[in-house]
Amino acid sequence: MRWMFSCLLVVLLTACGRPQADLVIASNSWLGATPVHTYAALQPEGMPPHLKPIMLVSDISVLRMLGNEAAVGAVVTLGNALGANTLTHGDYCIAMVVDRSFGGDAIVARPGWHYQPGQQVRVGLEDSTAARAMLAQWMAHQNIALTQVTTRAVLPTEHAVAFAEQEVDVIVTYEPFVQQLLRQQARVLFDSTETPIPVVDVLIVANTAWPQVAPVVQALLQGAWPQSLRALAQREPTFWQGLQRLTQLNEAELSRAVAGVSFYPADEQHMAMDDVLTKDMPKVAELLVRAGIFQQVVPLQRCETQQ
């Protein structure tokens, strides 16, 4: 799940004596990734050298860029991370735990639509592991059979039109799009405060690139990441206004959206990584198998073990 912006960090270190190219890591416009993009736009000199954040349109764009090796890593949900690792038979590792969603991911109904037991439901979602996992949890919560659901690929930029044209009944989405749809009288049916399986976002990096990327990630954790979280927590006016422009939310909408995301600072990374690997990952992997998304999931490891 995530929208019209996506983070991409590419670092390609070349032979000694030659200039270094930018390092690219991808992410969509999920709210958890936007503080770094806002910081990079306002204070580019504070970003690690050779790190270039870029925002893409969707989960699909991020995963395609990652799969095509146009990016060495990506900020994605743990579900999408496990999906990418499974499809490549173990090409990635977790470099950083970014955030945890507490309401920021949701199933949203178009205005006037209410679910009735046994009825057919038209669902709009991105064709990603994370979106399908979120849908599976809502279906289990509502006791909705697979035969009752028809899915349609709907990108975040197409949400409003899909609702206005009544092409779908519900959409699987995330912040800042939840707030944008609520502005149009949509209604949240189910969100990540109700999911039995946690929604957590991580930075994954290709194993082969990790030795080159490691210094950049370390620099990010020591500088731009804590600086952006501090600016967010203190609501520094320039930073907050930049975040509003990036998310296209007004102040009240942005406040509600931020309340649904918990960020992991640098000094909590080790504990957060332990929790993701030992507690969250087994639950997400089990869900992906139970929902029929994969027959078997290839687990991720922390990137430090790849050195």
Side-chain angles (χ1 to χ4, degrees):
M1 303 161 44
R2 317 312 188 195
W3 180 57
M4 191 176 166
F5 309 97
S6 263
C7 308
L8 195 62
L9 321 174
V10 173
V11 173
L12 300 175
L13 300 183
T14 55
C16 182
R18 296 175 58 187
Q20 295 179 352
D22 288 330
L23 179 151
V24 179
I25 293 177
S27 130
N28 62 12
S29 58
W30 157 240
L31 188 60
T34 51
V36 164
H37 289 288
T38 303
Y39 183 87
L42 296 173
Q43 296 182 269
E45 71 282 357
M47 295 295 291
H50 313 297
L51 178 61
K52 183 181 179 182
I54 302 172
M55 303 189 87
L56 305 179
V57 71
S58 66
D59 276 358
I60 298 169
S61 300
V62 172
L63 295 171
R64 182 180 298 120
M65 195 164 199
L66 190 64
N68 291 340
E69 299 184 359
V72 295
V75 176
V76 292
T77 64
L78 184 57
N80 278 344
L82 285 169
N85 203 49
T86 297
L87 292 172
T88 60
H89 307 289
D91 280 359
Y92 301 100
C93 59
I94 301 179
M96 173 182 169
V97 183
V98 178
D99 64 77
R100 191 173 294 263
S101 174
F102 294 102
D105 293 77
I107 307 284
V108 181
R110 63 178 169 81
W113 186 86
H114 296 271
Y115 174 68
Q116 299 296 326
Q119 77 178 108
Q120 292 293 310
V121 184
R122 300 170 301 164
V123 179
L125 76 169
E126 293 189 58
D127 185 19
S128 72
T129 300
R132 293 194 294 273
M134 188 72 177
L135 175 60
Q137 291 182 88
W138 176 64
M139 291 170 60
H141 185 265
Q142 291 291 334
N143 197 28
I144 298 173
L146 186 61
T147 54
Q148 292 175 241
V149 173
T150 302
T151 60
R152 173 176 178 171
V154 178
L155 296 177
T157 49
E158 300 168 342
H159 284 175
V161 172
F163 271 177
E165 300 294 331
Q166 297 191 12
E167 297 170 346
V168 297
D169 302 312
V170 302
I171 287 176
V172 183
T173 190
Y174 48 87
E175 297 290 10
F177 303 108
V178 173
Q179 297 300 319
Q180 293 177 9
L181 291 174
L182 291 179
R183 188 190 303 161
Q184 300 175 30
Q185 310 306 311
R187 193 165 47 89
V188 173
L189 301 178
F190 183 75
D191 66 32
S192 49
T193 63
E194 304 172 87
T195 55
I197 309 301
V199 180
V200 60
D201 295 275
V202 295
L203 167 60
I204 59 171
V205 172
N207 291 327
T208 55
W210 175 243
Q212 301 153 325
V213 178
V216 177
V217 172
Q218 186 62 29
L220 181 69
L221 286 169
Q222 292 175 349
W225 183 243
Q227 290 294 336
S228 64
L229 294 189
R230 186 176 300 112
L232 179 65
Q234 297 176 355
R235 297 198 178 186
E236 294 180 1
T238 301
F239 185 89
W240 192 254
Q241 291 165 12
L243 194 57
Q244 285 183 245
R245 289 193 296 270
L246 195 58
T247 58
Q248 299 183 8
L249 300 179
N250 62 37
E251 185 170 357
E253 291 167 340
L254 182 57
S255 295
R256 288 194 295 269
V258 169
V261 184
S262 179
F263 297 90
Y264 287 101
D267 60 1
E268 294 181 13
Q269 283 296 310
H270 185 77
M271 183 179 297
M273 187 77 72
D274 286 344
D275 285 344
V276 166
L277 294 175
T278 63
K279 299 177 183 178
D280 301 328
M281 188 166 62
K283 293 178 182 178
V284 176
E286 181 184 4
L287 171 65
L288 298 182
V289 173
R290 189 170 66 246
I293 298 171
F294 294 106
Q295 291 185 335
Q296 187 174 1
V297 173
V298 178
L300 289 147
Q301 295 181 334
R302 65 179 79 216
C303 287
E304 284 85 349
T305 64
Q306 306 304 310
Q307 290 182 309

